[in-house]
Amino acid sequence: IEKKKLKLFNKIRNKNDILNLYFDNVHVGDLIYDTYLKHFTKPTIDFNDKSLKKLIVDFYKLYKFWKKYFNKNKVKSVVGVHTAYSYGLILRVALNKKIPVFVTSNRFIYKLSNKMMYMHGNFRSYPKLFKKLDKKIQTKARNISKNRLKLRFAGVGGAKTDLITSQVSSFNKKIRKKLIKDSNSIKVLIAPHDFFDAAHIWGKTLFPDLYEWLSFIGEISNEIKYDWYIKNRPNHPGKFTVYQPHTNKVIKKFVKKYKNIKLLPNNYSHNQIISERVDFVLTSHGSVGLEYANFKVPVVNASLNNPHINYKFNINPKNLNEYKYIIRNLHKFKKFNKKIKFDDLYEYYFMRHIYFDKTWLISDLDKMIKELGGYDYQFSEKFYDYWMKNFSEQKHLNTFKVIDNFFNSKEDSISIRHTGKLKKL
């Protein structure tokens, strides 16, 4: 390992070199990158940080351990919990060995493959699967989506609007003093992400990380005379109280450096921003891609690995040069909103939030989260107390049947086809 590490370090000259890092023929760069950001609470890679090299060596040791383990033992399958960070390393090694790999929680089961190495990576199959549904079911599906979105835009958060991690709505009804000025300039809202939370959750973006993306926008704001605004998510409870203050701190430094960008309060409602007529929204791969498209506001993504990629209600640049051109020439894309079709929005919503069944194990997620005391507690021993409290032999047998249906289908994600809910729409 000591001999190998010098060769590893010689390969690394910039951030993309880390992202593109392989151990033998196993891709590990994104796992190392995201683990570094998360573990050390860094918004981007710091090459002066000695911890970075130590982390790479630790990853290599862990890789060698799992490679040796699989060579010595006959492993029939690997079941994991997350495809990011060091969690994902054993999964990548297993896939390389052609061993069946599953990732599961109380809200999903995925079967990974070299075509779908990331959990929630099934978004590329949305249009194809929706087309296979009966026309009557398609109509019902869009109506379900339409009603759920109405709730979301009315300020309802949590499981009722399929925002499991966001108990606090970004579409609250609180009216503040108007902060978006009236002018003839193009108004641009930047919707940043948590810099530390699985930046490559779906794979590479057009930038090495979310901080590099934001810095790029900052530099353009010095050149192009748009009315620039930036707003972080509302303050969420639970684990977000640990990480969100760090994101807030980074963004405050950002607007001090780039003085043409105005910071809006975290609880400044998206409903109010929309009513004050923002013209464009910039995100890497966020849910604003759906939400603002619903109000005919063009959204520009900075990643080809975003869940909206197979639909035409967002602007999806194919490469960095095209992205630069679009951001510098937004006036040429003002009529993009005419291309946005509501049926596409509703189809996407149904596939993302309903078709792939988040209630395969727990029938009422909203009730569970409330009884446990918050989103985070589903990952604690409290979950097992809740499970036992609501246990029955019949439920247990039904769960086995659902898993069998999924496993025997050879599909990559558990869905309402496997849970029997498709027929009940």
Side-chain angles (χ1 to χ4, degrees):
I1 287 173
E2 287 300 311
K3 290 178 182 178
K4 177 70 175 178
K5 79 177 186 182
L6 292 175
K7 291 182 180 179
L8 284 174
F9 296 155
N10 287 335
K11 292 180 181 178
I12 299 170
R13 301 183 186 280
N14 55 52
K15 295 174 184 179
N16 278 319
D17 286 343
I18 293 181
L19 270 180
N20 295 326
L21 194 62
Y22 280 73
F23 292 160
D24 298 328
N25 54 351
V26 177
H27 183 215
V28 297
D30 57 328
L31 303 179
I32 292 172
Y33 208 118
D34 288 2
T35 300
Y36 175 81
L37 301 184
K38 184 82 164 185
H39 184 70
F40 298 106
T41 323
K42 299 271 190 177
T44 190
I45 293 287
D46 179 1
F47 284 101
N48 294 318
D49 184 357
K50 293 180 180 178
S51 300
L52 176 61
K53 286 187 175 181
K54 183 180 182 303
L55 180 68
I56 294 171
V57 172
D58 284 347
F59 252 84
Y60 187 67
K61 290 177 181 177
L62 190 58
Y63 164 74
K64 294 290 282 186
F65 171 84
W66 285 123
K67 184 179 178 182
K68 185 177 180 181
Y69 185 91
F70 285 123
N71 286 339
K72 282 192 169 186
N73 298 278
K74 187 176 180 181
V75 178
K76 290 190 175 181
S77 183
V78 175
V79 181
V81 296
H82 208 313
T83 55
Y85 314 119
S86 53
Y87 292 124
L89 185 56
I90 180 178
L91 310 182
R92 298 274 177 94
V93 178
L95 282 174
N96 185 253
K97 295 279 186 182
K98 295 182 169 52
I99 295 170
V101 176
F102 297 86
V103 181
T104 184
S105 83
N106 67 69
R107 290 175 287 115
F108 55 76
I109 303 178
Y110 298 116
K111 183 177 182 181
L112 301 186
S113 67
N114 290 321
K115 290 183 179 179
M116 193 181 90
M117 296 173 62
Y118 302 92
M119 66 187 206
H120 315 317
N122 50 6
F123 54 83
R124 297 190 184 281
S125 65
Y126 289 177
K128 183 179 178 181
L129 290 173
F130 191 83
K131 283 180 182 177
K132 290 182 178 180
L133 299 177
D134 181 84
K135 294 293 183 183
K136 289 182 179 179
I137 291 179
Q138 288 182 8
T139 300
K140 289 180 181 179
R142 290 191 175 104
N143 285 334
I144 292 169
S145 298
K146 185 177 181 179
N147 290 330
R148 297 235 187 142
L149 282 170
K150 281 181 181 178
L151 287 176
R152 183 181 294 195
F153 300 136
V156 177
K160 288 182 179 178
T161 52
D162 303 293
L163 292 171
I164 309 299
T165 61
S166 306
Q167 299 299 302
V168 181
S169 173
S170 296
F171 287 84
N172 55 70
K173 296 181 180 179
K174 185 174 181 181
I175 302 297
R176 301 176 60 93
K177 179 182 176 182
K178 183 176 180 178
L179 296 178
I180 296 178
K181 64 182 180 180
D182 294 320
S183 75
N184 293 324
S185 298
I186 290 175
K187 299 175 182 62
V188 180
L189 174 68
I190 306 165
H193 302 255
D194 186 332
F195 302 104
F196 319 100
D197 190 10
H200 305 94
I201 183 68
W202 287 308
K204 294 180 184 178
T205 70
L206 298 182
F207 297 86
D209 57 47
L210 299 167
Y211 183 81
E212 288 283 347
W213 163 68
L214 194 60
S215 297
F216 172 84
I217 300 298
E219 292 298 319
I220 287 187
S221 73
N222 288 334
E223 305 170 26
I224 309 295
K225 290 185 178 181
Y226 301 145
D227 288 343
W228 296 92
Y229 300 91
I230 187 169
K231 191 193 88 70
N232 198 8
R233 296 179 301 180
N235 296 326
H236 292 315
K239 69 174 184 177
F240 299 101
T241 60
V242 176
Y243 294 104
Q244 200 167 356
H246 293 293
T247 293
N248 290 336
K249 188 177 179 181
V250 172
I251 291 174
K252 284 179 181 178
K253 285 184 178 180
F254 172 78
V255 293
K256 280 186 178 180
K257 182 177 180 180
Y258 299 105
K259 300 189 183 299
N260 291 331
I261 300 175
K262 183 172 183 177
L263 178 62
L264 299 175
N266 287 5
N267 64 345
Y268 201 77
S269 172
H270 282 306
N271 283 326
Q272 187 165 348
I273 294 171
I274 291 163
S275 70
E276 291 170 6
R277 298 188 181 280
V278 69
D279 295 303
F280 290 90
V281 178
L282 307 183
T283 181
S284 176
H285 49 260
S287 62
V288 290
L290 165 74
E291 293 158 348
Y292 273 77
N294 187 81
F295 295 94
K296 297 283 187 174
V297 178
V299 177
V300 185
N301 292 308
S303 174
L304 292 174
N305 290 310
N306 77 74
H308 319 107
I309 191 67
N310 279 3
Y311 292 92
K312 296 179 181 179
F313 53 78
N314 284 174
I315 301 171
N316 292 301
K318 295 181 180 64
N319 52 53
L320 186 54
N321 285 334
E322 187 177 341
Y323 186 78
K324 290 178 182 178
Y325 176 81
I326 291 169
I327 302 304
R328 291 175 185 274
N329 297 277
L330 288 177
H331 61 280
K332 295 182 179 181
F333 295 87
K334 273 197 165 185
K335 293 183 179 180
F336 178 83
N337 57 7
K338 293 182 179 179
K339 298 180 181 180
I340 298 172
K341 297 179 181 178
F342 288 111
D343 276 358
D344 287 347
L345 296 174
Y346 301 148
E347 176 185 321
Y348 165 81
Y349 187 96
F350 177 78
M351 297 305 296
R352 173 108 169 103
H353 295 294
I354 300 166
Y355 180 82
F356 294 107
D357 198 348
K358 294 177 182 177
T359 58
W360 74 272
L361 185 63
I362 303 296
S363 58
D364 192 332
L365 292 177
D366 199 51
K367 178 184 175 185
M368 179 196 74
I369 290 170
K370 285 177 181 176
E371 286 197 25
L372 294 183
Y375 169 82
D376 293 355
Y377 288 110
Q378 65 184 305
F379 310 115
S380 74
E381 71 281 0
K382 284 189 175 184
F383 174 82
Y384 299 103
D385 294 335
Y386 179 88
W387 171 257
M388 293 305 296
K389 179 182 172 183
N390 292 277
F391 179 86
S392 75
E393 189 70 23
Q394 188 59 50
K395 282 184 181 179
H396 197 52
L397 293 174
N398 287 342
T399 300
F400 280 168
K401 183 179 179 181
V402 166
I403 294 173
D404 284 343
N405 290 342
F406 163 66
F407 189 81
N408 294 329
S409 73
K410 309 296 183 184
E411 294 174 12
D412 60 21
S413 312
I414 199 163
S415 73
I416 55 177
R417 285 187 183 276
H418 310 124
T419 56
K421 296 172 188 173
L422 181 61
K423 297 176 182 178
K424 299 177 183 178
L425 284 182

